[in-house]
Amino acid sequence: MTARPPSPMSRQPVEESAAGEPVVAAKVDRSRCVGAGFCVATAPEDFELDDDGRSRPLRTEAPGSAAEGLVEAADLCPVEAITVFHARTGHRLAP
Ligand code: SF4
């Protein structure tokens, strides 16, 4: 399987809030997840495989410093089950 190149959207920087508040978030469409596990390998602090073998986010919001890993996980997901977005604006960052 070949990973897709990062989308242009994923190259946009995510600013850290001045107070270090959460600024990014990720959702997993579990109906699409095939349990490939790339997200867990890429961002183990943000995803885990549950008893069904499907991914789920470990936190509802994350600091901007987590954005790179979240975006990479979304870009690597073979079925585009992961969506990463700005927690406040809802602006989609990946895929
Ligand atoms: S990379 Fe995609 S398909 Fe694989 S476990 Fe994560 S969400 Fe599911």
Side-chain angles (χ1 to χ4, degrees), residues 16 43 92:
E16 185 85 48
R92 194 166 89 175

Side-chain angles (χ1 to χ4, degrees), residues 5-14 67 71-72 74-75 84-86 89-95:
S7 70
M9 295 292 289
S10 69
R11 297 193 184 100
Q12 294 184 356
V14 176
V71 167
E72 184 177 359
D75 285 338
V84 182
F85 54 95
H86 194 286
T89 66
H91 176 76
R92 194 166 89 175
L93 302 170

Side-chain angles (χ1 to χ4, degrees), residues 28 32-40 49 55 73 76-79 81-82:
V28 175
R32 299 184 76 165
C33 176
V34 295
F38 295 134
C39 55
V40 177
L49 296 182
S55 175
L76 288 173
C77 178
V79 293
I82 299 171

